[in-house]
Amino acid sequence: MNKRRSSFNVDVSAAVNHSGFTHGLGGPHQGGHQGTNWYVQYGMDIGAHEGTEIYAAFDAHITKFQPHDSAKDNGKEYGAKIFMRAPNDMMGGFYTHLIDVPVGISVGTTVTRGDLLGRVHRFGGIPPHLHLALVEIIGGAPGGQYIGVDLYELFLKLESEKPGKVVPVTFWQDGSKPTPIT
């Protein structure tokens, strides 16, 4: 029997500036989102015009940061990479395909939902987009069980809603799908 741990809510909002949003380009387990890592498998590609602002979709602290190095850009990996976790260390996210990350973003930096994280980077003939992946950490980080989360439809809906819309999402801490409270 799977013992239920304490659930918690995280307030989320759009990760891409509404004015630059174009359309969804694919969610978890679609297209190039294959592999063994949650941040690849559970990727949500949110299409946006090159240079569109990218925001923190939830309150967090940066746990890993790799600045953009154009010499390393290729068809699979390009732009800056940011890993971040919610304040309770029980959920997190991964952002990539960013440029112009603000000075001050580094490991240990605290960000608030809506803070600027950078801008959408275009590479080659790939349609410009943000790659965002979410994870629930059952038992909390660093030793917890990392389970990828599919909230692709919610993020597409947030992009078409009124700017600034906030949706609480319940994470159950038992492996079941998180539930948006709408």
Side-chain angles (χ1 to χ4, degrees):
M1 181 191 316
N2 197 359
K3 182 181 175 189
R4 179 163 285 225
R5 296 178 175 96
S6 296
S7 63
F8 63 93
N9 291 342
V10 173
D11 289 339
V12 300
S13 58
V16 171
N17 185 304
H18 290 71
S19 67
F21 172 69
T22 55
H23 60 286
L25 294 172
H29 306 291
Q30 297 176 1
H33 297 150
Q34 309 296 324
T36 58
N37 298 317
W38 65 266
Y39 49 90
V40 174
Q41 287 180 355
Y42 286 89
M44 301 177 283
D45 288 345
I46 302 170
H49 297 291
E50 179 179 6
T52 299
E53 294 177 331
I54 297 170
Y55 307 116
F58 56 94
D59 295 344
H61 55 279
I62 309 299
T63 58
K64 292 181 186 176
F65 173 61
Q66 181 179 334
H68 178 222
D69 177 352
S70 59
K72 294 183 179 180
D73 285 351
N74 62 62
K76 293 225 178 238
E77 295 185 28
Y78 54 93
K81 298 175 185 175
I82 299 173
F83 284 88
M84 53 197 242
R85 286 198 302 254
N88 68 2
D89 286 326
M90 297 174 98
M91 92 51 92
F94 170 66
Y95 286 72
T96 194
H97 310 330
L98 288 81
I99 57 170
D100 300 333
V101 174
V103 173
I105 296 285
S106 62
V107 173
T109 301
T110 298
V111 295
T112 300
R113 184 180 36 76
D115 283 354
L116 179 67
L117 296 179
R119 297 181 184 280
V120 173
H121 178 40
R122 173 188 285 276
F123 179 77
I126 301 168
H129 65 280
L130 165 66
H131 175 98
L132 170 64
L134 299 177
V135 66
E136 181 169 7
I137 308 166
I138 297 174
Q145 179 184 7
Y146 286 61
I147 306 283
V149 172
D150 181 355
L151 291 176
Y152 183 57
E153 294 303 321
L154 172 63
F155 274 90
L156 293 183
K157 183 176 180 189
L158 285 168
E159 291 299 336
S160 63
E161 296 277 339
K162 176 181 164 191
K165 169 113 178 167
V166 177
V167 174
V169 176
T170 302
F171 289 82
W172 300 104
Q173 283 288 283
D174 65 0
S176 59
K177 184 175 178 172
T179 309
I181 303 169
T182 56

